[in-house]
């Protein structure tokens, strides 16, 4: 291996959707059949080329491997699975004779087709990004198919760039995988590490032959203590994988990135491995002050890549502190570089695009492009000395001071209300009393409902756009939304659902809608980030103390309720999810901010009850998402997250049925927290995992209402009535029917009406069949 110096400044990844969501539009056009694969490839190549040029203009080098090749059409974990041949048995038909999968097959694995369910999807560590879960069994045939990785490297070289390929590392890949169907009991995907490492070694050899000087292997699983694998086995896996890869004769230099927290007890093992550079997240973690002599000696010979620019949030931050943390690593190694703490996948492209945001707020912010600039600044400071960047450091410090004293950041009335809270504000009547009081809802066994949203049609989106442009008056817009609500209510009654929703046509997003109506928030025009696949969200900016100037949902819920005798759910987004899916102020504890949001929601619940709404859902799909990766940090998080939900709902009357919804939540991990939410009914994602969650529900003794999802709304496929019935029968076998609800996994906003109606018809058909089974008398033996 030829030695190459690591760049003095780099980033771990860059947003791949495009500044105006060009990739999203191209991919969805391909799915719709309006462009072919060649056109999609061409548009993606244009986007990658524009990204490289942009990063070079912001201060990264063209020929020093500082620009990462982190593009993906859908998901980086799926990319790794395709590259190593880890294709599930049901999709083997998509491989050609050489084992390759084309773009259409790639998307089929991601989205499913016919009776073939897609790969399961879940949250990427403690972020709002979703990855596809590989399926690995004892017989999974690992083989290298790196054509796309190599083609992108060649593409960059042809344009005059020497870039750095980015690939999910072998340890993280297996730790995030699940056992394939049919795997023997006790099998763990990490059991296949010895078989997988040679394929990665072959990949490294091909990258070196193609001219790569460095390769980035992402190993965030090394920082997590929440992965279901003994920690000592994770540590051992580091040595197995990287002793082998580092000892390979033909390879690029290896940069192992470990974002989302401190490496902790994994640092000595990684330091001992023959890799050239280690990425340390110094925003979420630290390097221990006392290291054993062997680790110190090992680190002294490596490049330490200081992740001091926050890749997870959009604040300009304390640049002086960031510089000092990077500079301090020089006590461990003479070769220190500056980087972002994580990939910039989690933040929007460019704050300069936000021309409608308040200029003062903009001065406090740094999106992806600004963070690249901060990396370049700090790298120059390390190379030339602090005096060379003193002007930039002073400007960042001035912005930080201005933010601290700005009006609205601290509101005495909000803080006084928090200070006055008592224990009684966090609890309702006991559950048994509530069940009795809610019998007036007169619901059948296995009551059916949906999670909240119905499809957002092109007409709805056009109406919202016309309102923003001034082409519709507020009254005209509200009349159109009422027409849509009436249509959704009629449809649900025709289908035979038991508890209805108004469909949320007036909501652009389940968080942004509330952010636009609460004090302390701002919303962006172009601040899109990838959630999964082609789906993007536009997180709001929570910058100050939060309060509710006026009711937010009462008008829509009461109108919907006036159209039907069946109960209609009032729909709110919970405090934890509002925080998780926003860019939240970093100048006070998250728990304080969550309680401010909870008080605003508590007021809204009171107004909904006063207006006659008898069922209220407070969605918390992100409860599991924010769970800290370090075990020691989890109790404090669960205390304030559960407490904020209970504060929001604590004023509800016993006769009001409070629902909550969680998705991608690995129920067993947070079962006690979900129980402590004390919601009357909890709906949870379960269809894509084929109802695996019911085992956790059953063994935990969970005794409140529960609705494990029976329809995976993240895939376009329509489940058959028989498929839904089989899921329900599995649930009924484990959970008392008196506690069981029937619902989709999540809201229906992203689906079309044709597939939605067909799926809901199958849900109703399956529910009626299972009700009939339950009604059959049991014959005595």
């Amino acid at each position: 291996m030829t030695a190459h110096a690591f760049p003095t400044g780099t980033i771990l990844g860059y947003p791949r959707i495009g500044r105006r969501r060009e990739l999203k539009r191209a991919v969805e056009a391909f799915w719709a059949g309006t462009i072919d694969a060649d056109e999609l490839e061409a548009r993606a190549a244009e986007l990658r080329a524009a990204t490289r040029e942009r990063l070079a203009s912001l201060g990264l080098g063209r020929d020093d491997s500082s620009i990462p090749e982190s593009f993906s059409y859908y998901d980086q974990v799926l990319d790794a699975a395709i590259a190593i041949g880890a294709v599930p048995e049901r999709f083997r038909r998509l491989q050609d004779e050489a084992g390759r999968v084309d773009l259409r097959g790639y998307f089929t694995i991601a989205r499913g087709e016919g009776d073939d369910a897609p790969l399961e999807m879940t949250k990427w560590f403690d972020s709002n990004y979703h990855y596809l879960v590989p399926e690995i069994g004892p017989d999974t045939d690992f083989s290298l198919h790196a054509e796309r990785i190599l083609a992108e490297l060649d593409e960059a070289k042809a344009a005059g760039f020497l870039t750095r390929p980015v690939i999910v590392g072998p340890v993280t890949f297996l730790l995030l995988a699940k056992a394939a169907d049919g795997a023997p009991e006790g099998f763990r995907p990490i059991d296949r590490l010895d078989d997988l490492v040679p394929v990665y070694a072959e990949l490294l050899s091909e990258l070196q032959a193609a001219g790569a000087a460095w390769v980035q292997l992402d190993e965030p699983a090394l920082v997590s203590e929440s992965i279901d694998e003994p920690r000592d086995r994770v540590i051992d896996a580091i040595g197995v994988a990287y002793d082998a890869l580092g000892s390979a004769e033909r390879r690029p230099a290896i940069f192992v990135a470990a974002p989302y927290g401190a490496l902790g007890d994994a640092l000595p093992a990684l330091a001992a491995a023959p890799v050239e550079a280690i990425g340390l997240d110094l925003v979420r973690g630290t390097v221990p002050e006392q290291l054993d002599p062997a680790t110190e000696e090992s680190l002294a010979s490596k490049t330490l890549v200081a992740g001091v620019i926050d890749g997870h949030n959009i604040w300009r931050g304390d640049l002086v502190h960031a510089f000092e943390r990077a500079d301090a690593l020089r006590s461990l190694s003479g070769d220190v570089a500056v980087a972002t703490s994580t990939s910039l996948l989690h933040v929007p492209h460019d704050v300069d695009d936000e021309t409608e945001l308040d200029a003062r707020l903009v001065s406090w912010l740094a999106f992806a492009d600004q963070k690249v600039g901060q990396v370049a600044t700090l790298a120059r400071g390390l190379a030339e000395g602090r005096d060379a960047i003193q002007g930039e450091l002073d400007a960042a410090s001035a912005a930080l001071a201005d933010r601290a004293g700005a009006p609205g950041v601290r509101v005495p009335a909000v803080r006084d209300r928090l200070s006055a809270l008592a224990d009684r504000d966090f609890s309702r009547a006991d559950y048994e009393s509530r069940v009795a009081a809610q019998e007036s809802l007169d619901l059948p066994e296995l009551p059916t409902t949906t999670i909240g949203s119905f499809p957002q049609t092109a007409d709805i989106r056009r109406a919202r756009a016309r309102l923003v442009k001034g082409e519709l008056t507020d009254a005209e817009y509200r009349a159109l939304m009422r027409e849509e609500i009436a249509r959704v209510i009629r449809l649900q009654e025709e289908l035979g659902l038991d508890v209805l929703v108004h469909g949320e046509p007036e909501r652009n997003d389940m968080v942004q809608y509330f952010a636009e109506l609460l004090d302390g928030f701002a919303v962006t025009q172009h601040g899109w980030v990838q959630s999964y696949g082609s789906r993007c969200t536009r997180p709001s900016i929570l910058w100050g103390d939060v309060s509710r100037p006026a009711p937010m949902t009462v008008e829509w819920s009461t109108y919907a309720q006036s159209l039907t005798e069946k109960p209609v759910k009032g729909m709110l987004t919970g405090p934890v999810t509002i925080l998780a899916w926003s860019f939240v102020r970093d100048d006070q504890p998250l728990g304080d901010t969550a309680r401010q949001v909870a008080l605003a929601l508590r007021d809204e619940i009171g107004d909904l009850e006063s207006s006659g709404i008898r069922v209220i859902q407070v969605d918390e799909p992100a409860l599991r998402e924010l769970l800290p990766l370090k075990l020691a940090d989890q109790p404090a998080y669960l205390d304030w997250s559960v407490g904020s939900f209970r504060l929001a709902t604590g004023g509800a009357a016993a006769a009001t049925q409070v629902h909550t919804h969680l998705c991608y939540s690995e129920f067993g991990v947070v079962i006690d927290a979900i129980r402590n939410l004390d919601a009357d009914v909890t709906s949870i994602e379960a269809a894509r995992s084929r109802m695996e969650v019911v085992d956790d529900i059953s063994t935990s003794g969970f005794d409140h209402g529960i609705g494990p999802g029976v329809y995976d709304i993240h895939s376009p496929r329509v489940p058959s009535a028989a498929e839904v019935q089989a899921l329900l029968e599995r649930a009924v076998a484990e959970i008392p029917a008196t506690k069981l609800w029937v619902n989709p996994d999540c809201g229906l906003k992203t689906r079309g009406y044709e597939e939605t109606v067909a799926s809901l018809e199958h849900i109703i058909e399956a529910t009626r069949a299972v009700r009939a089974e339950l009604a059959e008398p049991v014959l005595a033996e």
Side-chain angles (χ1 to χ4, degrees), residues 422-464:
D423 288 348
R424 64 179 178 275
D425 296 313
F426 294 83
S427 60
R428 300 173 66 201
D430 65 82
Y431 177 63
E432 290 74 17
S433 300
R434 302 197 312 261
V435 169
Q438 292 161 21
E439 288 179 357
S440 60
L441 291 170
D442 195 25
L443 298 174
E445 192 170 47
L446 304 182
T448 56
T449 189
T450 63
I451 300 303
S453 61
F454 264 64
Q456 291 251 328
T457 65
D459 287 342
I460 293 172
R461 293 193 295 271
R462 277 193 292 269
R464 189 176 299 121

Side-chain angles (χ1 to χ4, degrees), residues 33 48 70 317 415 454 524 607 644 745:
R48 291 191 295 268
S70 57
R415 292 172 180 261
F454 264 64
T524 66
D607 286 341
S644 64
D745 272 347

Side-chain angles (χ1 to χ4, degrees), residues 11 33 57 60 65 87 90 132 144 179 188 223 231 244 293 313 318 431 531 533 545 642 662 758:
I11 59 175
S57 73
L60 298 187
S65 302
V87 176
R90 65 187 177 280
L132 293 168
L144 185 62
R188 311 289 293 174
V223 312
R231 187 64 180 168
N313 213 329
D318 188 343
Y431 177 63
S531 177
D545 282 350
V642 170
L662 298 92

Side-chain angles (χ1 to χ4, degrees), residues 693-718:
V693 71
V694 299
D695 292 334
D696 290 326
I697 296 170
S698 175
T699 58
S700 71
F702 190 82
D703 60 355
H704 288 30
I706 187 74
V710 295
Y711 163 30
D712 173 19
I713 67 87
H714 296 94
S715 169
R717 63 184 291 273
V718 174

Side-chain angles (χ1 to χ4, degrees), residues 621-641:
L623 180 71
R624 172 66 176 83
E625 174 184 318
L626 283 188
L627 185 72
L629 302 181
K630 302 298 187 184
L631 296 177
D633 298 330
Q634 292 179 4
Y637 164 74
L638 293 172
D639 181 65
W640 69 253
S641 61

Side-chain angles (χ1 to χ4, degrees), residues 4-11 60-61 63-67 162 164 213-214 255 277 303-305 335-339 375 379:
H4 293 271
F6 194 81
T8 55
T10 190
I11 59 175
L60 298 187
D63 59 358
D64 63 357
S65 302
S66 61
I67 294 177
L162 178 59
R164 185 179 74 247
W214 283 88
F255 167 39
T303 298
L304 299 185
V305 184
D335 193 0
V336 174
V338 174
V375 165

